[in-house]
Amino acid sequence: MQTAAAAGDAAALLAAVPAGRRVALVDPRFVGHVHALRLGLTDPRFAAATVPGALTAQPEARGALLRALRRTTAAVGAGAPVVAPDTDPAPEDRTVPGRIAVALEAEGTAVKRPELGSLTATVPTDAGARATAESARDEVDDEAVRLRSAVKAHDGFFTTFAISPYSRYIARWCARRGLTPNQVTTASLITALVAAGAAATGTRGGYVAAGILLLVSFVLDCTDGQLARYSLQYSTMGAWLDATFDRAKEYAYYAGLAIGAVRGGDDVWVLALGAMVLQACRHVVDFSFNEANHDAVANTSPTAALSDKLDSVGWTVWARRMIVLPIGERWAMIAVLTALTTPRIVFYALLVGCSLAACYTTAGRLLRSLTRRASRTDRAAQALADLADSGTLAQGVAAVAPGLRGAFTAPAVALLGTLVMIGGALFLPYGSPLTVAAAVVYVVLSGLAVARPLKGALDWLVPPFFRAAEYVTILVLAARSDAPHAVPAAFGLVSAVAYHHYDTVYRIRGGTGAPPRWLVRTIGGHEGRTTLVAVLAAVLTHASDFTTALTALAVAVALVVLVESIRFWVSSSAPAVHDEGELA
């Protein structure tokens, strides 16, 4: 820390700092909470950030900072006082850091201004103002504010009332001992895998231990995000771990339950895969709808207005959050039922609960889409196209086919293709060449669905229809085959493909776009994989060959998507984000 005697000295001091370091400017008369400075000066997600009286810049914004500082110095004078005349529009912009922040924004550099709430951050200009600021600072316990802000603002009922009241203190304990969110996330994954192993024993004691360990894993899962917010430790690796480990834990636990049930004489692999497919399709509905309306213009509807009114009544907020069966409620239900009942009952409860939740959320989104008058942007259309995960076959059809017209044409064609594919797998004789013909029809209809930009009111349904077609086809063909262990192999294949789809979602959310086209082409796209599985079911006459083929396909897809995903998320191009909004 160095002190500049006047505004003109600050540029020389900043220029002397090594180029790869973050720098900060703080007015020496600053009065406020330490956590206010922490929020403004230490969050790694933003190139530049400011609170009244303080400004920070990451290495990528250092050049813009120096230019803004020199312009500010020229305006106020190298030896001028740090407070500008009272004619400036905003008090926080009268200090040198405030003026520099405005200059940075004028140049095009985004400057984050974190919400401080009850925290104090100000630069008093006289003794009376200083006394007032110090009094306001002393009246608020910034550590209590820091603990409260560590908890996600919008969370499920179970998480809010059964986990967060004490997990925030675990997060603080971890922070004071130098533990990182990534370490806690990894501990949560390991605990969930041990829980899956306990469930795989197929004994009552194993099921009880599995339920307890699953809840412990969820506590740690809440703790890692709270630790990240408490200590402002956000990272690219943390974003990747947080985005993918929840799904890995849940699906590994499903597999553990299925293995344990088989050991007890009850084969529930079809139910386990069905639960995974349903949950993944629920998520893609959420993701697709949100991306379609991410930056929509005139994004209003009577349904949205009614939802806002319901949110003003306290109990309806919690009821609606519980109805969607978010991760907290879902994991609590799984843990309790595992300990007290059987895996079959666990999966029945999951299928029923998730089906009701899917009906509720999808109906609400359909009503909003039909009653709002919104213009979809090119960004939204591109996001939906990326989420569609169309491969070479569908893209080839789209390139030669005329764009289908009509407000609801794309989702109608996608739905028709989905029904043809699932119907063929479900009702045609297993191994029939007609199933391959159904797959060819699905490829053509998939290409037609994406031949025009997805800007229609219901075009966000196209990616969910494609996910349902692929996942359910794999499930049905594996279940109908006589191949031993075909459904567990299909479970592995759907897990690998679902990982690719979740990875796509979080890349788009981070603002870096979807995975590269070569990756989508290499793993075939949704229509290519679906067709390949249909062909394998038709041509492989020996039952064990189908299981071997599904296993080989699962391994190949997993290797390709994992290597590319790891390369991306540990690279400097990956976004340093932390998921704040999704309950599921």
Side-chain angles (χ1 to χ4, degrees), residues 14 31 68 120 136 154 232 249 284 327 362 376 506 518 525 544 555:
L14 287 176
V31 174
T120 296
H154 303 287
L232 298 178
K249 288 181 287 190
V284 78
I327 187 170
T362 304
R376 296 264 159 71
Y506 284 101
W518 69 260
S544 60
V555 171

Side-chain angles (χ1 to χ4, degrees), residues 242-517:
D242 186 67
T244 58
F245 275 16
D246 278 353
R247 305 289 82 78
K249 288 181 287 190
E250 187 166 3
Y251 299 156
Y253 192 81
Y254 290 177
L257 280 176
I259 293 171
V262 169
R263 288 187 171 180
D266 187 15
D267 190 343
V268 296
W269 272 108
V270 171
L271 296 178
L273 181 51
M276 183 172 72
V277 168
L278 178 56
Q279 188 59 31
C281 289
R282 276 188 64 202
H283 280 151
V284 78
V285 168
D286 296 340
F287 298 144
S288 188
F289 178 81
N290 290 337
E291 288 304 322
N293 297 283
H294 181 271
D295 46 9
V297 179
N299 191 13
T300 59
S301 74
T303 306
L306 175 61
S307 178
D308 292 339
K309 288 182 179 179
L310 289 174
D311 282 343
S312 65
V313 182
W315 69 269
T316 65
V317 175
W318 296 117
R320 293 168 67 204
R321 290 185 188 178
M322 294 174 68
I323 288 174
V324 301
L325 203 64
I327 187 170
E329 277 75 0
R330 193 166 66 251
W331 281 30
M333 180 184 73
I334 294 171
V336 172
L337 291 179
T338 298
L340 300 180
T341 63
T342 66
R344 180 172 291 272
I345 293 177
V346 173
F347 288 124
Y348 281 155
L350 274 172
L351 289 168
V352 172
C354 290
S355 295
L356 293 175
C359 291
Y360 170 78
T361 55
T362 304
R365 290 184 168 96
L366 285 171
L367 287 174
R368 291 191 182 206
S369 299
L370 292 172
T371 56
R372 69 170 36 131
R373 296 292 180 266
S375 299
R376 296 264 159 71
T377 63
D378 291 337
R379 177 201 177 281
Q382 183 58 54
L384 291 179
D386 293 334
L387 290 173
D389 193 35
S390 299
T392 302
L393 298 177
Q395 288 293 329
V397 172
V400 300
L404 296 171
R405 298 185 180 277
F408 308 118
T409 305
V413 172
L415 175 60
L416 178 60
T418 298
L419 294 177
V420 168
M421 188 67 255
I422 295 177
L426 191 60
F427 298 112
L428 291 172
Y430 176 79
S432 169
L434 291 177
T435 306
V436 179
V440 173
V441 173
Y442 174 66
V443 169
V444 174
L445 293 176
S446 297
L448 294 175
V450 297
R452 288 174 62 86
L454 298 176
K455 292 188 175 183
L458 296 180
D459 284 0
W460 56 270
L461 286 170
V462 171
F465 285 149
F466 289 163
R467 294 298 80 74
E470 180 179 6
Y471 297 166
V472 175
T473 296
I474 296 172
L475 166 62
V476 170
L477 290 178
R480 294 189 65 196
S481 73
D482 294 328
H485 311 301
V487 179
F491 190 98
L493 176 57
V494 172
S495 298
V497 174
Y499 176 88
H500 163 62
H501 291 143
Y502 282 113
D503 185 52
T504 300
V505 166
Y506 284 101
R507 292 198 197 204
I508 294 173
R509 281 184 170 183
T512 58
R517 284 301 306 168

Side-chain angles (χ1 to χ4, degrees), residues 51-62:
V51 294
L55 172 73
T56 186
Q58 297 269 37
E60 60 267 29
R62 287 274 300 275

